[in-house]
């Protein structure tokens, strides 16, 4: 399957419409959208290649195939809070990072009277209620909790069918029910310019609260890989001048963002992301990397979701969105730019952060959480870091950082 997809990608890139059509016809017959996990994975890549070919306009027949496949395409679902919480709980994909990060955060903020959490998360604060609960259980008089989020990824799944103001109100009420005072703040800021407005606002706040006993926690859950890296030349915005002092020909917004974070002197930074590399400018390299990583969510699905279930449709629609973004788009439209753990570790060290190990409590809590899921999930330690695995393959990594 992978080799056929590679041949098809090469044909499309070389504008060999006849060969591309022949391979697509074969793939269309051997990879039905309701087949086994490998067939469904291949079908997702088939759709993405058809979309890429149609976008290039090199072949009218491919454009017709794209229109035919659009009838099969799954719309990305808009979740209610309850649905999203249930969706996130289906697998350890997100829960692993939540559990490891919360344990590291709780250890780091011990003794502070106020905790400011900047939640850069794909999952719309789904990690926060468990953290609030843990804070409430640890303290007779819990510290003040300030939660800052950004409105950045409105078009990237999972999508929440609720405004962040409404979400914030629900979180504040939940915290109050646990006897935790919470302040909730939304900052309009985009990954496209390296969250420049967020950094600017945090610098102001740091200046105002410099003398207070307040911990600054930067919680990065699968969002940093949307910031442009070295293979993409970012288009400057009005706020990107914030990073002007960092600029050099070899710098990326990703590098500048991490250095700007370091200048805020955070108490702890947690980086959780998917352990894969989608940054290559070569389509075939990117296709191989994505195919050899994204088989995992399809494979895991067969272990816990029955064929035809709505949750499975939602889950696969999100993966298909990712596949199409990686394969069919280029430039600023291609936002799924994952980097492996080794590269993030080097980036953090270059920004003058030092990795810290997760404690025994964190490891124990992650193992307990994994016991609730299918037997294929595992945990391994790589130096200070934790890595979630599926059948021995790296899936998601969790790293914790303090000032070097």
């Amino acid at each position: 399957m992978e080799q056929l997809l590679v041949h098809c990608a090469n044909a499309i890139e070389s504008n060999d419409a006849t060969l591309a059509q022949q391979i697509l016809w074969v793939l269309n017959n051997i990879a039905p959208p309701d087949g086994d996990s490998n067939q469904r994975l291949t079908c997702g890549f088939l759709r993405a290649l058809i979309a890429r070919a149609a976008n290039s306009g090199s072949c009218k027949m491919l454009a017709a195939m794209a229109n035919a496949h659009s009838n099969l395409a799954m719309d990305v679902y808009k979740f209610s809070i309850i649905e999203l919480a249930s969706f996130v709980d289906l697998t350890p994909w997100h829960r692993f990072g939540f559990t490891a990060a919360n344990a590291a955060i709780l250890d780091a903020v011990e003794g502070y009277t106020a905790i400011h959490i900047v939640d850069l998360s794909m999952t719309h604060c789904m990690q926060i209620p468990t953290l609030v609960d843990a804070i409430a259980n640890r303290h007779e008089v819990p510290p003040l909790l300030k939660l800052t989020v950004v409105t950045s990824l409105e078009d990237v799944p999972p999508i929440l069918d609720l405004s962040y103001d409404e979400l914030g109100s629900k979180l504040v009420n939940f915290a109050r029910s646990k006897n935790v005072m919470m302040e909730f703040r939304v900052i309009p800021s985009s990954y496209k310019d390296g969250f420049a407005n967020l950094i600017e606002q945090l610098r102001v706040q740091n200046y105002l609260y410099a003398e207070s006993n307040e911990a600054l926690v930067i919680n990065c859950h699968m969002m940093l890989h949307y910031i442009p890296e070295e293979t993409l030349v970012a288009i400057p915005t009005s706020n990107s001048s914030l990073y002007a002092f960092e600029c050099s020909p070899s710098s990326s917004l990703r590098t500048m963002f991490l250095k700007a974070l370091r200048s805020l002197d955070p108490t702890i930074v947690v980086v959780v992301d998917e352990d894969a590399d989608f940054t290559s400018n070569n389509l075939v390299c990117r296709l191989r990397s994505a195919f050899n990583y994204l088989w995992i969510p399809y494979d895991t699905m067969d272990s816990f979701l029955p064929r035809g279930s709505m949750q499975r449709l939602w889950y696969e629609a999100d993966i298909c969105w990712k596949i199409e973004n990686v394969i069919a788009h280029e430039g600023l439209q291609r936002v799924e730019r994952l980097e492996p753990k080794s590269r993030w570790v080097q980036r953090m060290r270059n920004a003058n952060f030092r990795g810290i190990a997760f404690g025994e409590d964190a490891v124990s809590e992650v193992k307990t959480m994994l016991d609730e899921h299918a037997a294929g999930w595992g945990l391994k330690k790589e130096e200070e870091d934790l890595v979630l695995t599926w059948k021995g393959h790296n899936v998601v990594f969790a790293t914790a950082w303090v000032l070097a």
Side-chain angles (χ1 to χ4, degrees):
M1 296 277 202
E2 179 185 355
Q3 203 54 43
L4 276 173
L5 290 168
V6 167
H7 287 319
C8 185
N10 279 323
I12 289 169
E13 291 303 274
S14 60
N15 288 320
D16 188 340
T18 302
L19 179 58
Q21 284 170 204
Q22 288 172 345
I23 300 171
L24 287 169
W25 184 84
V26 172
L27 286 167
N28 198 46
N29 281 283
I30 63 175
D34 58 350
D36 63 28
S37 60
N38 199 42
Q39 289 173 318
R40 300 196 311 278
L41 169 69
T42 303
C43 182
F45 279 86
L46 166 65
R47 288 171 173 163
L49 285 170
I50 291 171
R52 184 180 180 91
N55 288 343
S56 70
S58 60
C59 177
K60 290 179 181 177
M61 191 172 289
L62 290 179
M65 281 184 84
N67 289 332
H69 269 264
S70 68
N71 298 327
L72 293 173
M74 294 171 282
D75 291 329
V76 173
Y77 185 71
K78 286 190 174 183
F79 292 90
S80 70
I81 286 185
I82 301 298
E83 287 171 336
L84 184 58
S86 173
F87 182 72
V88 164
D89 280 347
L90 285 175
T91 79
W93 204 281
H94 292 291
R95 290 188 72 198
F96 160 76
F98 292 175
T99 306
N102 283 351
I105 290 168
L106 287 168
D107 286 343
V109 301
E110 193 67 46
Y112 286 90
T113 54
I115 305 167
H116 182 192
I117 299 173
V118 180
D119 190 36
L120 296 174
S121 172
M122 283 295 300
T123 58
H124 310 290
C125 301
M126 288 295 115
Q127 176 180 339
I128 301 302
T130 310
L131 182 59
V132 168
D133 215 20
I135 289 171
N137 290 334
R138 276 200 176 200
H139 304 273
E140 265 188 54
V141 181
L144 170 66
L145 190 58
K146 300 178 180 179
L147 180 61
T148 296
V149 300
V150 295
T151 54
S152 171
L153 299 175
E154 298 90 349
D155 52 345
V156 177
I159 296 172
L160 189 63
D161 189 19
L162 191 72
S163 75
Y164 265 26
D165 287 337
E166 293 172 292
L167 175 64
S169 177
K170 290 180 182 296
L171 284 168
V172 167
N173 288 336
F174 173 79
R176 190 181 296 123
S177 75
K178 300 291 182 179
N179 199 33
V180 175
M181 293 302 296
M182 177 191 281
E183 297 173 2
F184 183 85
R185 184 183 184 202
V186 182
I187 295 179
S189 195
S190 174
Y191 61 87
K192 293 174 184 176
D193 66 0
F195 298 112
N197 190 44
L198 170 69
I199 294 293
E200 189 172 25
Q201 297 293 324
L202 291 176
R203 281 181 179 161
V204 171
Q205 190 153 330
N206 246 21
Y207 178 77
L208 293 175
Y209 295 97
E211 301 304 317
S212 66
N213 186 30
E214 180 175 298
L216 176 60
V217 175
I218 312 293
N219 183 57
C220 308
H221 185 92
M222 301 191 188
M223 193 183 275
L224 295 194
H225 70 259
Y226 292 99
I227 300 174
E229 34 64 64
E230 287 77 2
T231 64
L232 179 67
V233 178
I235 295 174
T237 69
S238 58
N239 277 327
S240 57
S241 59
L242 178 74
Y243 293 133
F245 70 97
E246 304 273 12
C247 266
S248 75
S250 61
S251 283
S252 69
L253 280 176
R254 208 168 280 195
T255 296
M256 295 179 215
F257 171 77
L258 295 178
K259 289 183 176 179
L261 273 192
R262 174 61 180 79
S263 72
L264 297 172
D265 294 338
T267 310
I268 187 171
V269 178
V270 181
V271 178
V272 173
D273 219 319
E274 296 164 323
D275 200 1
D277 187 356
F278 293 173
T279 59
S280 176
N281 280 331
N282 180 283
L283 174 64
V284 169
C285 288
R286 215 160 62 235
L287 186 151
R288 285 192 184 280
S289 183
F291 190 87
N292 285 294
Y293 178 72
L294 292 173
W295 69 271
I296 296 171
Y298 280 97
D299 195 50
T300 64
M301 242 175 294
D302 286 349
S303 71
F304 68 92
L305 284 176
R307 186 173 295 189
S309 77
M310 286 307 298
Q311 285 182 318
R312 181 147 147 178
L313 289 174
W314 300 341
Y315 202 87
E316 296 198 357
D318 282 8
I319 307 166
C320 283
W321 185 95
K322 189 185 288 268
I323 293 170
E324 182 167 331
N325 189 266
V326 171
I327 301 302
H329 298 289
E330 293 294 350
L332 291 170
Q333 285 185 305
R334 179 160 64 83
V335 298
E336 287 288 346
R337 293 173 177 267
L338 290 173
E339 288 188 303
K341 179 174 78 75
S342 57
R343 213 175 295 163
W344 279 111
V345 166
Q346 195 56 54
R347 285 188 184 280
M348 293 299 285
R349 288 173 179 164
N350 291 347
N352 210 21
F353 286 102
R354 173 175 60 84
I356 57 171
F358 289 86
E360 289 181 15
D361 286 350
V363 174
S364 175
E365 286 176 37
V366 170
K367 286 179 177 176
T368 300
M369 180 272 296
L370 291 180
D371 286 342
E372 300 171 19
H373 295 279
W377 293 104
L379 172 69
K380 68 179 181 182
K381 295 181 76 171
E382 293 183 352
E383 297 179 342
E384 294 96 354
D385 314 323
L386 298 182
V387 179
L388 175 71
T389 63
W390 172 254
K391 296 180 178 178
H393 297 269
N394 286 18
V395 181
V396 177
F397 64 84
T399 62
W401 303 88
V402 295
L403 307 182

